[in-house]
Amino acid sequence: MLDKLKNTKKFQEHLREMRHNDECGRLDIMSFLIMPIQRIPRYEMFFNQLKKYTDESDLTRVKLNDCFEKVHEIATFVNESKRKTESILAQ
């Protein structure tokens, strides 16, 4: 979908304006699209640190461990998908 939009003049103009806009931090659209993906490892580290500093007898530790495991699964999925996509694009 993004490939189709990139070919329209109106969208290209919007992207150009966005890159020069201080409110957007002068970032391009790819920078905004990657931001949520970059947060995943941060959440993984966050839950891992919380686990380390939570007493093993604390009931919240089980929930923290569940959260860590889910985020870890998501990170693994994203990384594998990225590798597959890169290998396809490299062909």
Side-chain angles (χ1 to χ4, degrees):
M1 184 170 121
L2 189 57
D3 287 335
K4 289 179 184 178
L5 281 173
K6 284 194 314 190
N7 295 327
T8 66
K9 287 187 181 197
K10 186 175 181 179
F11 189 70
Q12 287 176 358
E13 179 59 32
H14 179 70
L15 292 178
R16 210 174 358 267
E17 288 174 14
M18 193 169 96
R19 279 193 299 268
H20 295 26
N21 188 333
D22 289 334
E23 289 181 36
C24 294
R26 297 186 178 267
L27 298 173
D28 65 357
I29 193 164
M30 294 310 290
S31 298
F32 284 105
L33 291 174
I34 196 70
M35 283 180 183
I37 301 302
Q38 291 171 333
R39 287 189 183 119
I40 295 170
R42 292 181 196 148
Y43 290 136
E44 192 174 15
M45 291 186 300
F46 173 73
F47 285 117
N48 198 31
Q49 287 297 313
L50 279 176
K51 278 181 11 181
K52 284 183 186 178
Y53 294 104
T54 304
D55 191 73
E56 288 192 31
S57 63
D58 191 332
L59 296 175
T60 0
R61 188 170 169 95
V62 174
K63 291 181 181 178
L64 287 172
N65 195 51
D66 290 345
C67 290
F68 173 78
E69 291 299 322
K70 291 291 182 193
V71 171
H72 182 72
E73 286 175 25
I74 292 167
T76 302
F77 174 78
V78 167
N79 289 336
E80 288 175 6
S81 298
K82 183 178 178 231
R83 277 189 218 105
K84 287 178 185 177
T85 302
E86 287 172 348
S87 70
I88 290 169
L89 293 175
Q91 295 176 0

